C-alpha cells in the first residue's frame, strides 16, 4: 500500500491491487453514469451517487464511481495484511496516521496515479495499439465467460467491487495507456540512461553479472537438520578445494586469463548442462541481490569488473568467479521501466489534488460495513430463491440447482477464494522482467 507498489502496477503489468480487482478491459471511457436507481449498491453504501465528484487531479474531476473501488480495495488489503481485525482497530493508526484517513489517502493516491496516466496520455496524444486493444478485449471476454462458468453474474461481481462497468473499463485502460506512453518516451530518448545513471540503477537494484566455475561436492555424508542441505566430510571438501585451486592456478598463469577461464569453465564446471553437455549459462549469470547463495553473491560483489576470485565455498561446492559488466542490452531494457517509474514518481509528487466536502464526509468504516451488510442481504435473498426453486423443481433437476446455489454461496463476501482463483487463472499481462536464473546446484 505505497507509491512504489502503485507505480509498479502500471510499469510492470497488471499485478498487486489491480489483479485483485481488475483485468485488462476494452475501451469504454464515457462519462460517469447519471444519478442511479436508489437500489444501486454504491449509492446505498456511500450515500452519494456514482457521478458525485470527490476531488480533482490537476483540474480533472474524479467521481465516486472511480474512487469507491480503490477505497474498498485499500480496506480489503488492510484486512488481508492483518489490520482491522475488529472494530477497535479503526481507532488505531497506520504509519502514524489515523486508520480511516490512511485508507482514504491510500485509495486517493492510487486513483490519482490512474488519473495522471490518462491525463499524460491525452497530453502526448498516445493511443492504444491494435494488439493491446485486442488483448484487452479478449481478456474482458474471458473474464465474463469464466465468471459465468462459475455461476457468478458479471454485474454482481462488479457490485462486489463497488464499480460500474463504465468505470471498470475506463480504469483498466490505464495499464495500456502507460505502455503507450513508455513506448513514446523511449522513442523520444527520454528513457535512455547516461552511463552514470546506468551504474546507479544497477547498484540500487542490486544487479550484477558473473561467470563461475563450479567444482561441486560429491559423496554426501548426510543432511543438515537446520538447512536441509547435504553435508560433506572435511576430506571431501579439501579434495574439491584442491581441484579448484589447481584450475585457478592455470587461469592465473595464462597469457589471457579470461580466455583460459572460459576454456576451463566449459570443460570442467559442474554447473547445469544440457543433453549435449553444454553449459546452460556459458555467458554467465545476470543476477540480482538475494538470488544466489550468499557466499557467491558476497564474493562476486567484492570483485572489480574483469577480476577473478579465489575459490569460494558454498553449500554446493567451490566457485571460481569472474565478475562481468552488468551494463548489458538486457539491463538497459530494464532501465526503461525504471525510468518510467521515476517519471510517475514525479507526476505523483507534483500533481495538484483538491478534495471537497463530499470526500471529507466519506466514512471508510461506515462504507465498508454497509457494503458487507448489503452483500449479506443479497446473499440471503439468493439463498431463499435457490431454496424455493429447488423445492419446486422436478426431482431430476434438484441436483443441478444445488450446484448453482453452491456456486453462488459466499458471492458477496468481497473477493473470496473462488473469485481470486478466477483472476489467478486468467493471469496478468506481464511486462518484460529480468530473466531469473536457476539457483546454483
Amino acid at each position: 500500500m505505497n507509491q512504489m507498489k502503485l507505480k509498479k502496477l502500471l510499469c510492470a503489468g497488471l499485478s498487486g491491487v489491480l489483479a485483485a480487482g481488475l483485468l485488462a478491459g476494452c475501451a469504454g471511457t464515457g462519462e460517469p453514469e447519471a444519478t442511479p436507481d436508489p437500489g444501486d449498491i454504491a449509492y446505498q453504501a456511500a450515500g452519494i451517487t456514482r457521478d458525485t465528484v470527490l476531488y480533482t487531479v490537476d483540474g480533472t474531476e474524479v467521481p465516486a464511481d472511480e474512487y469507491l473501488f480503490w477505497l474498498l480495495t485499500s480496506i480489503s488489503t488492510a484486512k488481508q495484511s492483518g489490520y482491522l481485525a475488529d472494530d477497535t482497530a479503526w481507532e488505531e493508526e497506520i504509519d502514524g496516521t489515523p486508520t480511516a484517513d490512511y485508507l482514504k489517502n491510500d485509495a486517493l493516491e492510487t486513483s490519482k496515479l490512474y488519473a495522471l496516466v490518462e491525463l499524460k496520455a491525452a497530453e502526448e496524444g498516445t493511443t492504444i495499439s491494435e494488439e493491446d486493444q485486442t488483448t484487452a478485449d479478449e481478456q474482458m471476454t474471458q473474464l465474463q465467460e469464466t465468471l459465468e462458468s462459475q455461476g457468478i453474474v458479471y454485474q454482481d461481481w462488479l457490485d462486489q467491487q463497488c464499480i460500474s462497468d463504465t468505470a471498470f473499463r475506463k480504469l483498466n485502460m490505464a495499464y495500456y495507456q502507460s505502455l503507450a506512453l513508455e513506448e513514446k518516451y523511449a522513442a523520444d530518448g527520454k528513457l535512455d540512461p547516461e552511463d552514470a545513471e546506468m551504474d546507479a540503477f544497477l547498484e540500487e537494484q542490486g544487479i550484477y553479472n558473473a561467470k563461475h566455475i563450479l567444482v561441486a561436492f560429491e559423496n554426501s555424508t548426510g543432511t543438515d537438520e537446520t538447512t536441509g542441505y547435504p553435508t560433506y566430510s572435511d576430506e571431501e571438501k579439501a579434495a574439491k578445494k584442491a581441484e579448484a585451486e589447481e584450475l585457478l592456478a592455470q587461469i592465473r598463469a595464462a597469457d589471457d586469463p579470461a580466455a583460459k577461464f572460459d576454456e576451463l569453465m566449459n570443460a570442467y564446471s559442474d554447473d547445469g548442462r544440457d543433453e549435449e553437455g553444454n553449459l546452460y549459462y556459458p555467458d554467465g549469470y545476470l543476477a540480482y541481490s538475494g538470488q544466489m547463495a550468499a557466499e557467491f553473491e558476497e564474493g562476486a560483489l567484492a570483485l572489480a569488473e574483469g577480476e577473478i576470485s579465489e575459490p569460494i565455498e558454498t553449500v554446493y561446492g567451490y566457485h571460481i568467479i569472474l565478475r562481468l559488466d552488468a551494463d548489458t542490452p538486457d539491463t538497459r531494457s530494464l532501465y526503461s521501466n525504471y525510468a518510467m517509474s521515476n517519471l510517475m514518481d514525479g507526476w505523483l509528487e507534483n500533481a495538484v489534488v483538491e478534495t471537497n466536502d463530499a470526500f471529507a464526509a466519506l466514512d471508510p468504516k461506515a462504507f465498508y460495513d454497509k457494503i458487507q451488510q448489503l452483500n449479506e442481504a443479497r446473499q440471503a435473498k439468493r439463498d431463499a430463491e435457490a431454496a424455493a426453486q429447488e423445492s419446486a423443481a422436478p426431482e431430476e433437476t434438484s441436483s443441478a440447482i444445488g450446484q448453482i446455489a453452491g456456486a453462488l454461496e459466499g458471492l458477496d463476501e468481497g473477493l473470496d477464494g473462488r473469485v481470486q482463483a478466477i483472476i489467478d487463472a486468467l493471469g496478468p499481462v506481464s511486462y518484460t522482467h529480468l530473466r531469473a536464473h536457476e539457483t546454483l546446484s
Side-chain angles (χ1 to χ4, degrees):
M1 295 169 62
N2 53 45
Q3 290 185 13
M4 176 62 75
K5 182 174 72 174
L6 301 182
K7 70 185 179 186
K8 286 183 177 178
L9 167 69
L10 291 169
C11 281
L14 295 175
S15 60
V17 67
L18 186 61
L22 297 176
L23 291 172
C26 55
T29 58
E31 294 299 317
E33 297 176 350
T35 302
D37 186 296
D40 177 70
I41 191 169
Y43 181 76
Q44 292 180 1
I48 52 179
T49 60
R50 291 183 184 271
D51 58 356
T52 298
V53 174
L54 297 180
Y55 48 89
T56 60
V57 178
D58 286 347
T60 297
E61 296 180 341
V62 179
D65 199 21
E66 295 174 22
Y67 173 76
L68 294 179
F69 166 80
W70 297 118
L71 180 58
L72 186 59
T73 298
S74 291
I75 296 171
S76 299
T77 301
K79 281 184 169 291
Q80 293 167 6
S81 300
Y83 298 102
L84 306 180
D86 51 41
D87 285 350
T88 61
W90 284 92
E91 307 301 323
E92 300 173 355
E93 294 184 345
I94 300 177
D95 293 343
T97 302
T99 294
D101 292 340
Y102 181 95
L103 295 173
K104 286 179 69 173
N105 291 334
D106 181 67
L108 178 60
E109 284 298 298
T110 313
S111 176
K112 179 170 74 172
L113 178 58
Y114 275 72
L116 288 168
V117 168
E118 183 179 2
L119 283 171
K120 296 300 180 181
E123 289 176 5
E124 297 290 347
T126 57
T127 58
I128 308 302
S129 70
E130 290 186 8
E131 181 180 0
D132 284 344
Q133 186 66 65
T134 298
T135 299
D137 293 345
E138 290 174 348
Q139 286 194 326
M140 190 66 181
T141 299
Q142 186 179 8
L143 168 62
Q144 295 183 13
E145 291 176 348
T146 303
L147 288 169
E148 183 179 355
S149 72
Q150 297 293 318
I152 300 174
V153 178
Y154 172 63
Q155 185 58 53
D156 288 341
W157 187 79
L158 289 174
D159 287 345
Q160 281 189 358
Q161 321 311 319
C162 205
I163 192 169
S164 69
D165 178 68
T166 300
F168 176 92
R169 294 169 185 270
K170 179 180 178 180
L171 292 180
N172 273 307
M173 294 316 298
Y175 169 65
Y176 293 106
Q177 288 171 331
S178 74
L179 292 184
L181 280 169
E182 184 169 350
E183 183 177 351
K184 183 180 189 304
Y185 291 152
D188 293 343
K190 293 182 179 180
L191 306 182
D192 294 340
E194 299 292 338
D195 289 345
E197 292 175 325
M198 191 66 194
D199 290 341
F201 162 69
L202 295 172
E203 182 175 356
E204 178 182 327
Q205 301 299 313
I207 299 171
Y208 61 97
N209 195 9
K211 293 180 179 180
H212 77 132
I213 299 173
L214 170 63
V215 180
F217 294 139
E218 299 175 315
N219 304 316
S220 171
T221 59
T223 302
D224 187 296
E225 294 182 358
T226 301
T227 66
Y229 285 109
T231 56
Y232 303 94
S233 67
D234 291 341
E235 291 77 13
E236 170 71 9
K237 290 184 178 182
K240 294 303 180 181
K241 184 176 182 181
E243 290 182 29
E245 289 174 337
E246 195 278 327
L247 293 173
L248 180 59
Q250 294 184 52
I251 295 170
R252 300 251 191 250
D255 292 335
D256 187 343
K260 192 65 174 181
F261 184 99
D262 284 349
E263 175 188 335
L264 297 179
M265 177 186 69
N266 286 305
Y268 298 110
S269 180
D270 293 324
D271 203 5
R273 295 177 181 268
D274 60 24
E275 294 179 354
E276 297 178 355
N278 299 312
L279 290 169
Y280 286 124
Y281 301 109
D283 296 325
Y285 289 86
L286 192 59
Y288 52 86
S289 180
Q291 180 180 2
M292 301 297 193
E295 301 88 348
F296 182 98
E297 179 176 316
E298 182 180 352
L301 293 178
L303 300 171
E305 183 183 321
E307 187 178 359
I308 298 172
S309 74
E310 295 294 313
I312 295 174
E313 181 182 351
T314 70
V315 293
Y316 306 108
Y318 281 94
H319 309 259
I320 305 171
I321 302 172
L322 170 59
R323 180 77 179 269
L324 304 172
D325 186 2
D327 187 349
T328 69
D330 285 341
T331 53
R332 288 251 164 187
S333 67
L334 286 175
Y335 184 88
S336 176
N337 188 216
Y338 169 82
M340 186 69 184
S341 292
N342 288 339
L343 279 177
M344 288 185 175
D345 274 343
W347 299 348
L348 287 166
E349 182 177 352
N350 297 320
V352 176
V353 177
E354 296 181 355
T355 60
N356 57 24
D357 291 342
F359 180 84
L362 190 58
D363 183 339
K365 182 180 184 303
F367 164 68
Y368 183 78
D369 288 345
K370 188 63 176 179
I371 281 285
Q372 296 302 99
Q373 294 170 10
L374 291 169
N375 285 335
E376 290 171 2
R378 285 189 173 197
Q379 185 56 45
K381 181 179 179 181
R382 289 193 186 90
D383 288 344
E385 292 173 348
Q389 291 174 0
E390 184 174 0
S391 62
E395 182 177 353
E396 59 269 22
T397 64
S398 62
S399 175
I401 294 175
Q403 292 175 4
I404 295 173
L408 291 172
E409 184 177 358
L411 177 62
D412 292 318
E413 296 178 359
L415 259 184
D416 61 12
R418 290 185 301 105
V419 176
Q420 187 61 55
I422 293 169
I423 295 170
D424 292 341
L426 290 174
V429 178
S430 298
Y431 202 79
T432 303
H433 285 80
L434 175 65
R435 180 184 62 183
H437 296 293
E438 298 177 356
T439 302
L440 296 174
S441 60

